[in-house]
Amino acid sequence: MLSNKFFKKVLIGALTVSMLAGTGITASAAVASPAPTFPSASPSNMVVPKEDLVNYINEKFPKEEAKELINKIYTSAFEALPEDTKQQVQQIIAVVSQEGFPEFMAQKFISDLVDTLYKGYLAAKDTAIATGKNIAETIKAAYAKLPEELRTKIAQAAQQVQMLSMAIQEKAAKYTIAESQLFYTDGDFTYQIDLDLNNGVYAKAVKYLGTEKKIAVPSVADMFQVISVKLTSENTVTAVTLPETIKEVDGYSFFKMPTLKYIYINKANPYFKSVNGIVLNKEGTTVVAVAATRKYSPSERITAIGNYAFYGNNSETVTIPDSVTSIGEGAFMFSKLSEVTIPAGVTEIKSLTFSNCKELEKIVVLPTVTKIADDAFTDVPKDAVFYCENNTDYAVGYAEKQGFKVNAPFDAEFKTTSITLLGASATFSAQGKYGAGDYKYAFYYRTKGSKKWTTKQKYASNNTIELKPANTGDYEICIKVKDADGKVIKKYFDWKVAQSFNNQSKIFKKGNAVVVNCKAIDMESVFAVYYMNVNDSKWTTVQKYDKNNIASIVFDKPGDYQICVKAKSKIGFISKSFFNVTVTDEDIAKSAAEKTITE
């Protein structure tokens, strides 16, 4: 039963909408509420609707939904509205803001209105760009058509709301309200009654109360078209026939009918058809809905699997033909699939496609898939295995990121040391990937040019070794990785062991002069020479890296100096030698005297 208060709200809604639409509907004597008034439609005092819309949306809508709608409002779409459209928008805001207008209906009106205007703007803009026409003029021309379209839709909705209010008054026992939704029960079915800008007042079949195994959903619910279903039943229904009025249907429409096997569509339906109890689009190219207990794999004429088409289906395997190029969101959500192969024509796995497939073990993904939604495999067991053709496939990276197992061609990663100083340790490691798993590792080394390998480790699970060479020289390292199937990956690496200290330079002091004799174990080394006064801490360059091995430094001031000689070997190792030199006043004087005698 509906309260008088709710009935009053519905009827007031009918009156206010009818005034906007100009339908001439009059008030029932049962309602004493005054008729709402509207702002003047005169352009001279017209208020741009942006701010009013934003305020209404922020007040009436959930935060995220409000944010999305406001983003659409704050575009040039609303800036380009012609005056008569602005007037109508302003009036719509006034209507749905009236005390007593059903809030859930008002929200649908506002949401649909914003979307309609925004889509019209985008379409006009795209047309202008494609044809090279002036964007502003094209948008205005497109908007000029909107007021008439909107008035027609609102007028129709207003008439239907009046019909609904009268029906509630006459059949109050059949109408109930729960969680801000209006329901109507008649015979064996319960319907949800709703309202939006495109469909007016419509019905959705939500529950079957009867005991029959095979049922047919009526096309009307108390004079309102039944355009969609989300049907539940406590009975073991095996077949459902949907009417010609149905506009919306998918596998999710029957998610609480676990015994359902066949879904039929009235032949007069302009949108869908059924083939052997499977719902397809009218062209027969898209799978729309498959009942829970139906075992079905699409034929080669199918090119797409629609959103939620196999939702909750009990089949363990579904063969998707190569003709399929698109798989919709949630297409196999909550199904009992144990394995699936994505055909080559599919490039994207969309949101929730295999979410909550608790039995899924094997997923074959071809290299043609280049995009997978983060939530495509939500709540799928983490021991499910992705089978990929190449180690570089997009699905490999996705599966590893999501924590799934990957079965791709056997591969391995290696970490090695190329140069080591004598006396230090070098680390070599490997990590098997993909293949059959259960990897074993073997390590070998030899002096380069030798034919005899030294075994450091035979095949074992340990994947890391250390080598500490006793002599300098060039070596080769061989690492083998084997998986459980006996497949082996073998790689060779060069390893050079260099003298830990290459530099053997010396200096000779004579008075205030120092001769640097650069020398290194590696005969192909180059040398750089620097000095600084220890009190200044600033290095002066005597020689940059060069093969010259004799450098002279003449100091013109007494003090303590430090000399640095760098020897860089052929392989790039740098070793440094430091020398401390003190230059006295006597050294300076003696050198000056010797210079004078010589001259």
Side-chain angles (χ1 to χ4, degrees):
M1 296 285 291
L2 283 175
S3 67
N4 288 334
K5 182 179 179 182
F6 180 76
F7 170 72
K8 182 177 178 180
K9 285 185 176 183
V10 173
L11 189 53
I12 289 175
L15 292 170
T16 53
V17 176
S18 69
M19 290 186 65
L20 173 59
T23 58
I25 299 173
T26 56
S28 166
V31 180
S33 299
T37 58
F38 301 104
S40 168
S42 169
S44 62
N45 66 357
M46 181 65 204
V47 178
V48 176
K50 238 188 205 182
E51 289 74 18
D52 289 352
L53 265 175
V54 169
N55 291 337
Y56 178 88
I57 289 169
N58 272 325
E59 179 184 352
K60 299 292 185 181
F61 285 80
K63 184 177 179 180
E64 289 304 314
E65 191 174 352
K67 182 179 178 181
E68 181 181 352
L69 289 171
I70 291 170
N71 283 339
K72 291 179 178 179
I73 291 172
Y74 275 94
T75 65
S76 55
F78 280 78
E79 300 293 346
L81 282 173
E83 288 302 316
D84 54 355
T85 308
K86 288 180 181 178
Q87 293 170 24
Q88 187 170 19
V89 172
Q90 189 71 21
Q91 289 178 337
I92 291 173
I93 299 168
V95 168
V96 299
S97 298
Q98 291 290 330
E99 178 69 26
F101 192 93
E103 187 167 317
F104 69 91
M105 293 184 178
Q107 287 179 339
K108 284 184 177 294
F109 261 86
I110 289 294
S111 179
D112 287 354
L113 177 66
V114 172
D115 284 340
T116 298
L117 294 175
Y118 185 65
K119 288 175 182 176
Y121 160 75
L122 291 180
K125 181 180 177 182
D126 291 344
T127 298
I129 293 173
T131 59
K133 295 181 179 179
N134 182 280
I135 293 178
E137 291 180 2
T138 306
I139 291 173
K140 286 184 179 180
Y143 275 146
K145 301 176 183 178
L146 288 179
E148 181 179 352
E149 295 172 359
L150 290 176
R151 277 195 296 270
T152 300
K153 288 181 178 179
I154 294 173
Q156 292 172 346
Q159 292 172 351
Q160 290 180 321
V161 170
Q162 186 194 35
M163 293 164 59
L164 175 61
S165 64
M166 294 173 62
I168 292 173
Q169 188 177 31
E170 295 172 0
K171 307 170 186 177
K174 294 188 175 184
Y175 282 90
T176 57
I177 186 170
E179 298 180 357
S180 299
Q181 298 293 340
L182 179 63
F183 295 94
Y184 170 74
T185 299
D186 185 37
D188 290 336
F189 288 91
T190 294
Y191 309 87
Q192 179 181 321
I193 306 300
D194 219 331
L195 166 70
D196 63 36
L197 190 60
N198 290 319
N199 298 297
V201 178
Y202 64 90
K204 176 191 294 184
V206 294
K207 191 168 185 180
Y208 174 67
L209 306 170
T211 59
E212 299 294 327
K213 303 295 184 184
K214 298 178 181 180
I215 64 175
V217 176
S219 60
V220 293
D222 198 14
M223 80 188 77
F224 305 111
Q225 281 194 343
V226 178
I227 69 169
S228 67
V229 293
K230 189 171 286 186
L231 204 55
T232 66
S233 176
E234 296 178 2
N235 186 28
T236 54
V237 175
T238 59
V240 171
T241 299
L242 301 179
E244 69 276 9
T245 54
I246 289 292
K247 295 181 180 180
E248 303 167 358
V249 64
D250 55 37
Y252 187 50
S253 300
F254 310 95
F255 78 106
K256 287 190 176 179
M257 301 186 77
T259 59
L260 190 63
K261 188 173 184 179
Y262 300 101
I263 307 168
Y264 300 107
I265 298 285
N266 186 293
K267 291 182 179 181
N269 188 288
Y271 307 106
F272 310 105
K273 68 179 181 180
S274 57
V275 177
N276 297 324
I278 305 298
V279 182
L280 308 176
N281 65 339
K282 200 65 174 179
E283 295 74 25
T285 58
T286 300
V287 178
V288 175
V290 182
T293 64
R294 186 62 185 276
K295 295 187 181 299
Y296 166 74
S297 289
S299 67
E300 290 292 338
R301 70 173 178 272
I302 299 298
T303 60
I305 296 174
N307 294 344
Y308 305 99
F310 283 83
Y311 187 99
N313 186 266
N314 292 334
S315 298
E316 293 183 2
T317 59
V318 174
T319 301
I320 305 175
D322 291 339
S323 56
V324 169
T325 58
S326 174
I327 300 176
E329 293 184 1
F332 293 91
M333 193 173 181
F334 280 100
S335 71
K336 296 295 190 293
L337 281 178
S338 63
E339 62 178 80
V340 65
T341 297
I342 308 300
V346 174
T347 61
E348 178 183 3
I349 301 177
K350 299 176 182 177
S351 176
L352 302 174
T353 301
F354 297 97
S355 174
N356 282 278
C357 292
K358 302 291 188 181
E359 312 298 324
L360 195 55
E361 299 175 348
K362 180 179 180 181
I363 306 121
V364 180
V365 186
L366 300 180
T368 48
V369 172
T370 57
K371 185 177 180 181
I372 305 176
D374 286 343
D375 62 353
F377 293 87
T378 302
D379 291 326
V380 168
K382 290 303 180 183
D383 58 357
V385 181
F386 278 69
Y387 288 78
C388 305
E389 285 189 0
N390 304 302
N391 299 324
T392 55
D393 287 358
Y394 179 87
V396 170
Y398 170 86
E400 290 181 334
K401 181 181 177 182
Q402 298 293 333
F404 294 106
K405 295 180 179 180
V406 177
N407 189 315
F410 181 36
D411 198 2
E413 292 180 350
F414 300 88
K415 293 183 179 179
T416 62
T417 302
S418 58
I419 302 173
T420 305
L421 291 177
L422 187 63
S425 294
T427 302
F428 301 89
S429 66
Q431 180 59 60
K433 297 177 64 177
Y434 319 131
D438 192 20
Y439 311 112
K440 304 294 183 183
Y441 306 89
F443 297 87
Y444 312 87
Y445 69 95
R446 69 180 179 184
T447 303
K448 202 162 190 178
S450 171
K451 294 183 179 180
K452 183 178 180 181
W453 289 94
T454 299
T455 302
K456 179 65 177 178
Q457 174 181 296
K458 295 182 179 180
Y459 280 118
S461 58
N462 175 53
N463 70 333
T464 302
I465 63 161
E466 285 191 355
L467 290 176
K468 190 172 184 179
N471 299 296
T472 60
D474 295 328
Y475 294 85
E476 281 184 296
I477 303 294
C478 176
I479 304 176
K480 294 181 180 180
V481 185
K482 181 168 65 174
D483 73 355
D485 288 340
K487 295 180 181 177
V488 175
I489 292 176
K490 177 170 60 175
K491 285 201 173 182
Y492 297 90
F493 303 92
D494 288 332
W495 177 41
K496 181 180 286 291
V497 178
Q499 180 66 43
S500 59
F501 191 78
N502 182 45
N503 201 328
Q504 295 181 326
S505 300
K506 296 180 180 180
I507 65 168
F508 301 94
K509 180 188 173 190
K510 186 177 181 181
N512 67 332
V514 172
V515 176
V516 181
N517 185 0
C518 302
K519 188 177 181 182
I521 296 174
D522 182 354
M523 301 299 291
E524 297 187 39
S525 293
V526 291
F527 306 95
V529 181
Y530 312 86
Y531 76 89
M532 73 172 180
N533 186 310
V534 295
N535 294 322
D536 294 340
S537 300
K538 183 178 180 181
W539 289 99
T540 298
T541 301
V542 177
Q543 172 180 303
K544 294 182 179 180
Y545 282 116
D546 193 275
K547 289 185 178 181
N548 177 46
N549 68 333
I550 299 296
S552 296
I553 307 172
V554 178
F555 300 101
D556 57 2
K557 293 181 180 180
D560 293 323
Y561 294 88
Q562 190 173 57
I563 298 171
C564 174
V565 181
K566 293 182 179 179
K568 183 164 68 173
S569 69
K570 182 180 179 181
I571 62 174
F573 271 114
I574 297 174
S575 56
K576 303 175 184 178
S577 289
F578 292 92
F579 305 93
N580 294 315
V581 176
T582 299
V583 178
T584 64
D585 289 331
E586 292 181 358
D587 292 331
I588 300 293
K590 183 178 179 181
S591 295
E594 289 178 351
K595 181 179 180 182
T596 302
I597 293 171
T598 301
E599 292 176 348

